């Protein structure tokens, strides 16, 4: 196996050591990646700084053309990217194929967006003054990504950043760096100028920390756990860097009794168990009306038990292994805590070890009923296939339960009463909401959270704005003396 390298200033660079990469479905070694240090981050920041003026000055047409080439190549190589992410992260192939398609769409969208009108003009109180705003790139952006959507998180971060004329120092998770390396090979192939996009590989504690610390980084953008986000924000405060944070969630899916049970069950399953529950916006709390509670849960458990849990590259796999042994153990520990705090386990609750599954990190789809707001399973992000069900009677109770955590990333409501659905969705304290749906995510629309789920937005026009500064330009239309001072 050849060692996968970092990409700094247009060169493939070795780090100080190496790191082995394993398939979470069976523990086999699938790659070796180089392991960088803080020194490598410093070199990458220097390369990004050097490349910034020319890139910021490159025409939007030329920048867009490069982004479109990247989009085309991702699309052409979608199956290869899907195979890489499935082997690296564990997710089913149908999921990773969707990620590749969405990643191409993200590059294409931002290629199309950057020459669209932006800025404002103002009629100021002084008729001889004219004011306007222009948006300019921020400079060098440090970008840190998690392991749950390896390629897609890289696309969501890098596409708007470089489209806007910034340069980037990008770090993927140590667990899932392989698709990022392949993506940077495409950057090289299409002729992205050296230093515009730099790939550093290594741990959060060294490489990630240096990205947040380095004074040459103007903004740090991170997706990951809330504790890590807090640490990054504290570090960034030293140099007053801008921060963009997309953090954890404990997102509610509220279902009223006027909804067809089969439809409700279908969405509730999708909300929590797609991508093994390793989704920041997972519908990890089902808030269910008491009048349908028992019948609904019976059907929900029966369908959860039929989900095909298998290695991601097995045909028909619907749920793969968790990303690592450490993460599986963390999910199992959350399950034990829920049991000890009195949540009623209605299905799952264990590691799957039948036959070949014993070689990987598989956890059965798990549902806890009768959960109350004081329980850890209601308040803490598990980031796995574990659903906490809470019961409500009135609409007000449903809203109170839905908003009753420190998080505010996503929320869904199901009801055929449009006025009620609108009341509830307006009352949600969350950044991404759905009515009679859960999960659909669009490159065109903003993504991000309220409360401790983060700061800022990715995707859409809002996502591009996050990678710009706003400059006010004032023009004196009657140049002459100001005469403020008499002499
Ligand atoms: O994430 P980390 P972990 C949540 C989820 C999960 C928990 C922990 O609840 O169980 O986080 O997962 C880099 N300075 N989410 O430990 O540590 C790290 O190398 C700078 C939610 O895997 O947040 C990786 O590249 N960077 C989530 C990235 O941060 C640091 C997705 C994310 O890792 C760093 C993933 C530091 N001090 C986990 N420490 C979501 N919102 O989608 C680590 N990193």
């Amino acid at each position: 196996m050849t060692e996968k390298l970092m990409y700094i200033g247009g060169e493939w660079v070795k780090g100080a050591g190496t790191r082995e990469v394993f398939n979470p479905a069976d523990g086999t070694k699938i790659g070796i990646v180089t392991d960088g240090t803080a020194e490598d981050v410093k070199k990458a920041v220097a390369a990004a700084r050097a490349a910034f003026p020319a890139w910021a000055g490159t025409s939007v047409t030329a920048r867009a053309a490069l982004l479109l080439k990247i989009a085309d190549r991702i699309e052409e190589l979608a199956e290869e990217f899907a195979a890489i992410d499935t082997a690296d992260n564990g997710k089913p192939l149908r999921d990773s194929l969707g990620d590749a398609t969405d990643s191409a769409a993200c590059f294409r969208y931002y290629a199309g967006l950057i020459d669209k009108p932006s800025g404002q003009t103002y009629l100021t109180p002084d008729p001889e003054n004219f004011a306007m705003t222009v948006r300019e790139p921020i400079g060098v952006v440090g970008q840190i990504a998690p392991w749950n959507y390896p390629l897609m998180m890289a696309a969501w971060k890098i596409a708007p950043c470089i489209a806007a004329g910034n340069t980037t120092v990008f770090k993927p998770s140590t667990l899932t760096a392989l698709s990022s390396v392949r993506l940077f090979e495409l950057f090289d192939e299409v002729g992205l100028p050296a230093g515009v996009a730099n790939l550093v590989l290594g741990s959060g504690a060294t490489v990630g920390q240096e990205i947040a610390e380095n004074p040459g980084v103007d903004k740090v953008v991170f997706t990951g756990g809330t504790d890590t986000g807090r640490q990054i924000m504290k570090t960034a405060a030293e140099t007053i860097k801008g921060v963009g944070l997309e953090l954890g969630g404990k997102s509610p899916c509220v279902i009223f009794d006027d909804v067809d049970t089969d439809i409700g069950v279908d969405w509730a399953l999708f909300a929590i168990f797609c991508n093994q529950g390793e989704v920041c916006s997972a519908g990890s709390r089902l808030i269910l009306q008491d009048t349908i509670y028992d019948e609904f849960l019976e059907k929900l458990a029966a369908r959860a038990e039929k989900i095909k849990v298998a290695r991601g590259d097995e045909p028909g796999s619907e749920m793969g292994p968790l990303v690592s042994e450490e993460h599986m153990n963390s999910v199992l520990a959350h399950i034990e805590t829920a049991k000890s705090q009195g949540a009623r386990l209605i299905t799952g609750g264990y590691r799957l070890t039948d036959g070949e599954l014993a070689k990987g990190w598989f956890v059965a789809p798990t549902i806890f009923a009768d959960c109350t707001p004081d329980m850890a399973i209601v308040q803490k992000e598990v980031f796995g296939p574990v659903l906490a069900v809470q019961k409500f009677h009135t609409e007000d109770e449903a809203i109170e339960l839905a908003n009753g955590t420190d998080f505010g990333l996503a929320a869904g409501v199901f009801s055929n009463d449009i006025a009620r659905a609108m009341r509830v969705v307006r009352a949600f304290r969350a950044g991404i909401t759905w009515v009679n749906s859960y999960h659909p995510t669009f490159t065109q629309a903003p993504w991000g959270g309220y409360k401790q789920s983060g700061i800022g937005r990715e995707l859409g026009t809002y996502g591009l704005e996050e990678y710009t500064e706003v400059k006010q330009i004032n023009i004196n239309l009657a140049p002459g003396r100001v005469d403020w001072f008499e002499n």
Side-chain angles (χ1 to χ4, degrees), residues 143-149 153 171-175 202-212 220 222-229 231-232 235 246-249 278-281 323-324 326-327 330-331 334 380-384 407 409 447 453:
Q143 303 188 300
I144 302 172
W147 43 258
N148 56 337
Y149 287 88
M153 287 296 104
K171 185 192 106 58
S173 166
T174 45
L175 293 174
S203 77
T206 54
V207 170
Q209 180 67 21
E210 177 62 27
I211 290 174
V220 59
F222 165 81
T223 298
T226 299
D227 290 341
T228 311
Q231 167 68 27
I232 286 174
T235 307
E246 205 267 74
L247 308 176
E278 293 171 333
V279 187
C280 52
S281 53
V323 72
S324 66
E326 188 188 352
H327 185 55
S330 149
V331 169
H334 280 288
K380 303 270 183 224
E381 181 173 56
V382 175
F383 221 63
F407 297 110
L409 188 58
W447 184 266
S453 287

Side-chain angles (χ1 to χ4, degrees), residues 93-305:
L93 272 175
R94 71 167 173 184
D95 297 43
S96 47
L97 210 45
D99 295 354
T101 307
D102 287 353
S103 301
C106 187
F107 277 96
R108 205 162 275 142
Y109 174 79
Y110 284 109
L113 188 61
I114 43 169
D115 64 356
K116 300 300 173 284
S118 74
Q120 301 177 343
T121 58
Y122 310 95
L123 297 174
T124 57
D126 176 357
E128 290 182 338
N129 185 80
F130 177 75
M132 61 185 167
T133 56
V134 290
R135 288 195 168 269
E136 297 183 341
I138 298 169
V140 175
V141 184
Q143 303 188 300
I144 302 172
W147 43 258
N148 56 337
Y149 287 88
L151 176 66
M152 207 174 82
M153 287 296 104
W156 282 24
K157 295 216 160 9
I158 298 169
C161 175
I162 63 173
N166 303 282
T167 55
T168 173
V169 174
F170 175 80
K171 185 192 106 58
S173 166
T174 45
L175 293 174
T176 54
L178 297 179
S179 56
S180 293
V181 175
R182 188 72 186 99
L183 181 65
F184 275 73
E185 286 170 6
L186 298 189
F187 294 169
D188 197 36
E189 177 193 315
V190 303
L192 194 69
V196 170
N198 302 278
L199 174 69
V200 288
L201 301 170
S203 77
T206 54
V207 170
Q209 180 67 21
E210 177 62 27
I211 290 174
E213 237 173 74
N214 194 295
V217 172
D218 299 294
K219 177 167 185 172
V220 59
V221 178
F222 165 81
T223 298
T226 299
D227 290 341
T228 311
R230 191 173 287 116
Q231 167 68 27
I232 286 174
M233 201 172 164
K234 279 186 193 162
T235 307
E238 282 299 316
T239 45
I240 320 285
K241 280 184 184 51
V243 288
L245 303 174
E246 205 267 74
L247 308 176
K250 194 76 203 183
S251 300
C253 178
V254 176
I255 301 190
F256 284 92
D257 64 3
D258 61 353
V259 169
D260 179 285
T261 312
D262 288 333
I263 294 175
V265 164
D266 197 53
W267 281 100
L269 280 181
F270 180 54
I272 180 60
F273 296 124
C274 90
N275 211 59
Q276 304 75 241
E278 293 171 333
V279 187
C280 52
S281 53
S284 53
R285 289 186 299 135
L286 171 62
I287 300 184
L288 198 53
Q289 198 154 23
D290 50 4
T291 35
I292 50 166
Y293 193 80
D294 294 329
E295 179 208 351
F296 194 106
L297 288 188
E298 207 174 299
K299 288 185 175 165
L300 187 69
R303 280 208 53 197
E305 283 157 18

